[in-house]
Amino acid sequence: MNQGQAGNDIELRHGDLAVRVSRRGAAVTAATYRGIPFLVAAGGPEGMMANFAMVPFGNRVEGNAMSFAGRDYAFQPNTSDPLYRHGDGWLSLWQLEDSSPEHAQFCFSRSADSVSPYAYLTRQEIRLAGDALVLRLSVENRGEAALPFGLGQHPFFARTPKTRLTIAADRYWSERPDHLPEMPGPVPDYFDFRSERPLPQRWMNNAFEGWNGRAAIAWPELGIQAALEADGALDRFMLYMPVNRSDFFCLEPMSHLPNGHHLPDFGGLAPLAPGEALAGTVTMLMSALPVQPEEG
């Protein structure tokens, strides 16, 4: 390998982009553009992940149980959270299949067990292309029966006091006290980012539908911006903004709604027969923010 490695971490570099990735969770642990961090390590089991893959689906499962095709299935909690959360990939050690100075491809497979009934093979490729960080995630059902699958990326974007977001959605889900989605409805004004606006200073942990897969983030204090594009199965997103930390926010492209196993049409989860696969790609194109003329 030509790229630098430190323990389980692999350094990828291309032009102004530098990204560090780990076999643990096939996670990005650091990402900078022109030396400026645009993803920050704030998530994962030890808070060391700046982006991780959610597979074979994201978020939580109500009651740690689901029914599909006339069969009942059970989960066990996989973290300190009482509900099974974010799948298995983020908690597991992946195999490095291929790498170069500008990309790394990992795979992870599991069999069904008492924690989860899902058996699958998943791959995550992390690639630098020009000024873009590209994340491609796929999953193939390796079980003996069809099950509803999903995908997602969970990036932790840097947050500054003047960070601005542009993203449009047709529908918003309110949140229950147990952090599961409650009811769909129109997007509230304070979460309406169709026109560029600063992030609200309030708790946010909500799902959105009716997304065209495009978003923009601007960091005026840092002088950089990101154009986000999600394609393939990733046509929904989550926005997460905690109140106990102000240095990051999460914009999570997903193929389905949280708790989709208990929602109509499985909330966008895709029923995959044995051997069928699902894939989605997220691209973060970085650039310098145009200098604004001073007022006065």
Side-chain angles (χ1 to χ4, degrees):
M1 298 180 191
N2 296 322
Q3 75 275 21
Q5 286 193 335
N8 281 329
D9 284 357
I10 301 169
E11 301 286 345
L12 306 180
R13 290 185 178 273
H14 179 85
D16 291 323
L17 275 178
V19 174
R20 191 170 68 239
V21 299
S22 173
R23 288 182 59 203
R24 181 68 60 185
V28 173
T29 55
T32 62
Y33 176 68
R34 297 185 174 181
I36 302 168
F38 62 93
L39 297 178
V40 297
E46 298 173 355
M48 300 299 291
M49 295 178 177
N51 180 85
F52 60 80
M54 296 183 286
V55 62
F57 55 85
N59 219 273
R60 296 167 172 85
V61 182
E62 184 175 6
N64 287 326
M66 70 168 185
S67 298
F68 183 76
R71 293 183 60 184
D72 296 330
Y73 297 91
F75 299 85
Q76 289 184 6
N78 55 353
T79 67
S80 59
D81 193 285
L83 297 180
Y84 175 89
R85 186 164 61 115
H86 291 328
D88 320 285
W90 67 309
L91 303 173
S92 305
L93 197 62
W94 296 47
Q95 290 184 313
L96 179 64
E97 288 189 306
D98 188 29
S99 66
S100 75
E102 298 173 1
H103 96 288
Q105 180 172 297
F106 301 88
C107 72
F108 167 70
S109 62
R110 81 181 303 277
S111 301
D113 58 19
S114 61
V115 175
S116 166
Y118 283 79
Y120 58 88
L121 170 67
T122 180
R123 283 187 170 89
Q124 167 98 311
E125 183 187 18
I126 301 165
R127 177 166 52 91
L128 307 185
D131 286 332
L133 168 59
V134 184
L135 306 167
R136 175 175 170 77
L137 180 65
S138 65
V139 64
E140 175 190 337
N141 183 359
R142 289 287 182 90
E144 298 177 352
L147 285 177
F149 279 76
L151 295 172
Q153 299 286 354
H154 200 308
F156 294 78
F157 288 102
R159 182 175 185 178
T160 62
K162 295 182 180 180
T163 297
R164 303 195 304 266
L165 175 64
T166 309
I167 192 168
D170 294 338
R171 193 156 74 154
Y172 148 97
W173 284 76
S174 58
E175 183 190 21
R176 290 171 13 186
D178 57 6
H179 302 309
L180 296 176
E182 185 174 35
M183 294 288 294
V187 179
D189 176 69
Y190 45 84
F191 291 156
D192 186 349
F193 299 99
R194 286 175 295 179
S195 298
E196 181 184 73
R197 65 184 297 177
L199 301 176
Q201 299 296 317
R202 58 184 297 163
W203 168 266
M204 188 174 190
N205 186 36
N206 302 90
F208 294 79
E209 296 183 278
W211 181 38
N212 66 0
R214 307 289 189 272
I217 305 168
W219 295 276
E221 299 99 322
L222 306 180
I224 62 173
Q225 59 186 348
L228 186 79
E229 181 176 340
D231 61 18
L234 304 171
D235 60 358
R236 296 166 173 82
F237 66 91
M238 287 280 296
L239 280 176
Y240 171 59
M241 302 178 198
V243 292
N244 62 334
R245 289 187 62 167
S246 59
D247 59 333
F248 76 86
F249 74 101
C250 297
L251 193 173
E252 308 160 38
M254 295 178 65
S255 67
H256 62 96
L257 294 169
N259 198 34
H261 298 85
H262 296 274
L263 296 176
D265 299 321
F266 289 95
L269 289 165
L272 297 184
E276 288 188 324
L278 186 69
T281 302
V282 174
T283 302
M284 304 175 193
L285 177 60
M286 307 302 300
S287 61
L289 194 62
V291 177
Q292 299 294 322
E294 294 185 8
E295 299 179 358

